[in-house]
Amino acid sequence: MKIGVTGATGQLGRLVVGKLKEEGLEEYVVALVRTPEKAADLGVEAREFDYNNPNQLVGALNGIDKLVLISGNELGQRATQHANVIEAAKKAGVKGIVYTSLLHADTSTLSLAPEHLATEKTLKASGLPYTILRNGWYTENYTGSVAGAMAAGAFIGSAGNGKISSAARADFAEAIAAVVIGEGHQDKTYELAGDNSYTLAELAAEISKQTGKAIPYNNLPETEYAKILKSFGIPEGFADAIASWDTGASNGDLLDESHQLSKLIGKPTTPLAQTVKEALAGLK
Ligand SMILES: NC(=O)c1ccc[n+]([C@@H]2O[C@H](COP(=O)([O-])OP(=O)(O)OC[C@H]3O[C@@H](n4cnc5c(N)ncnc54)[C@H](OP(=O)(O)O)[C@@H]3O)[C@@H](O)[C@H]2O)c1
């Protein structure tokens, strides 16, 4: 059985390949990547695979039984890109697709939701067996700002008192591996999120606790937060999007208490304190 993993040179994809290798499946894993040279260190077969190039995709999927379709990162182009992949998978005789969607994609107010929902619909309409993993936020989305918060003396955002049930990327990668290897996941949709939820004020308190420095959470209006992100050099459209996602968080878009992720991986999700600890260790 060959398992194709798209986005295998990305942060989540690398972890997925690692988990499948841990399960002794390296000879069955095929990294489907834009730049095969970047996949050399993965230690698995790599094939060129660009979501924008429909002509290339069918051949690259030759012999693949299960396909892990990790959503791309080019916002606004993904519904078409993912549809290209699904169409090619059908032509190539792929027997099932695992797709990484967005938490509560059908009800979420996040600007990311429509592209994911469109892909879910395309996937279901394809007639291919599928599993949809609606991933909540990676804790690393926030802990990636720890250095900035330390430098500024405050953690900023516009998520208000919104509760966030994030989990570590590694937890989501493990869920993908569990679904690929396990049975009983065909034509199912899972809402995946961390076991424990927190507000950004609680995250700031955890950073303060671990560093011994007072790092308060400073909640800002969405436009103000976007302005600050732009001043850091983040492109305008992306800064606006990040700030709007925090507003979504304030409305509960990132909250989920169904514990489906820990059930899938058979253990509790990585605690917030652990991911903060790792982020702080990375600063040394
Ligand atoms: N749940 C969350 O909190 C969250 C946060 C951020 C993103 N996401 C979503 O989850 C995905 C995986 O997260 P991540 O952290 O691993 O993101 P990432 O590190 O940015 O990886 C994205 C991967 O998608 C690949 N890709 C992008 N466009 C492609 C194309 N046209 N053809 C083929 N491959 C393409 C990239 O290829 P290269 O390696 O060649 O660049 C990369 O490997 C993201 O792409 C995004 O859809 C989720």
Side-chain angles (χ1 to χ4, degrees), residues 201-220:
E202 286 166 341
L203 168 60
E206 182 60 37
I207 298 168
S208 305
K209 188 174 144 194
Q210 291 197 25
T211 59
K213 294 191 179 118
I215 310 282
Y217 173 56
N218 189 2
N219 196 58
L220 302 168

Side-chain angles (χ1 to χ4, degrees), residues 51 92 238:
Y51 302 159
F238 194 47

